[in-house]
Amino acid sequence: PTGERPKPVSPKKKGKAAEADAAAGPEPTPAAAPATWEFLVKKTDNNDWITSAVAGSTYDVSQVMGGGFPVEENIDGFKYDFPTQNLLLFASGSGISPIRSAIESNQLGIGAGDKGGRTCTLYYGVRTPDDMPYVSKFPEWEALGVQVVPVVSQPDVVCESGAVWGGRTGYVQNALEEDGVAIPRNSGALMCGVKGMCESVKSMLEDAGVFEGRVLTNF
């Protein structure tokens, strides 16, 4: 700095600068990064039009169904006198997809190890080991603080992959009944799956003392 006061720009020069800016046009907007959507599709005899799709295929997509889990209002809020310290997640079959999204959203306040936060257990039921997607993600979810409890209802069915099941058997609601709910007044639940599972689990949780409004579905 020279210590001299800056000289004012004349109106004529200001106009020239404005004309130059106008001629140049607005600054270009950076191109948006391509979005990636992942879908969990259960293969059936009638949907090979998508399960056999090749790279580059295009499809029309409808609006999202369901309203999502109202976590902020019913789990995080002060609607109840007892804070939510424990989360129970329940899924059967392809119902794991929205549960996966909830886990990986980092919006559930789960804490692993000494990081604090809520404790969390995921009960995930399928028919056979070959019907269980996202197995490769289980270690990742465990690292986030989610205890994963996979349950197989038909462990004796011969799998095409050759997998032999040595874990828990039966249904999700059987596993919940065996484990119980340690702190029901401080627990909340998210679930997605077949109607029978959701109804049974909801009834068991409420009988144990979990607030009805903290048993959430995404539909």
Side-chain angles (χ1 to χ4, degrees):
T2 61
E4 297 180 359
R5 296 181 63 184
K7 297 179 180 180
V9 178
S10 70
K12 184 179 293 186
K13 289 184 177 180
K14 285 182 181 179
K16 292 293 183 182
E19 289 173 10
D21 289 342
E27 294 185 6
T29 302
T36 300
W37 289 14
E38 294 186 19
F39 296 91
L40 177 61
V41 180
K42 181 178 179 180
K43 187 173 183 178
T44 68
D45 295 335
N46 301 319
N47 66 356
D48 59 346
W49 57 272
I50 188 168
T51 57
S52 299
V54 297
S57 300
T58 59
Y59 297 94
D60 292 329
V61 181
S62 66
Q63 289 289 335
V64 174
M65 297 178 66
F69 299 106
V71 171
E72 185 175 354
E73 178 184 356
N74 294 285
I75 300 295
D76 296 337
F78 297 95
K79 192 182 248 187
Y80 307 96
D81 294 335
F82 300 84
T84 306
Q85 299 172 329
N86 178 49
L87 278 178
L88 299 170
L89 311 178
F90 302 91
S92 61
S94 58
I96 190 63
S97 185
I99 295 295
R100 172 205 171 183
S101 297
I103 292 172
E104 297 180 1
S105 70
N106 295 320
Q107 300 296 312
L108 298 183
I110 302 167
D114 58 354
K115 296 180 180 179
R118 298 178 176 125
T119 57
C120 182
T121 303
L122 165 64
Y123 293 93
Y124 178 29
V126 295
R127 193 175 68 93
T128 73
D130 280 0
D131 298 319
M132 188 178 294
Y134 301 139
V135 173
S136 62
K137 283 191 163 287
F138 289 178
E140 177 184 327
W141 297 347
E142 294 268 6
L144 293 173
V146 180
Q147 179 186 359
V148 181
V149 181
V151 185
V152 170
S153 63
Q154 298 184 30
D156 297 329
V157 172
V158 178
C159 296
E160 292 183 10
S161 67
V164 177
W165 186 249
R168 297 180 71 166
T169 59
Y171 296 95
V172 163
Q173 50 267 46
N174 301 136
L176 174 62
E177 185 176 19
E178 293 167 1
D179 294 349
V181 183
I183 47 173
R185 306 302 275 182
N186 296 94
S187 294
L190 280 62
M191 67 178 71
C192 185
V194 297
K195 183 178 179 181
M197 182 276 286
C198 291
E199 289 179 346
S200 294
V201 168
K202 185 175 188 292
S203 177
M204 293 170 67
L205 292 174
E206 292 175 8
D207 288 346
V210 178
F211 291 107
E212 180 181 1
R214 279 187 175 160
V215 180
L216 311 181
T217 63
N218 68 330
F219 53 84

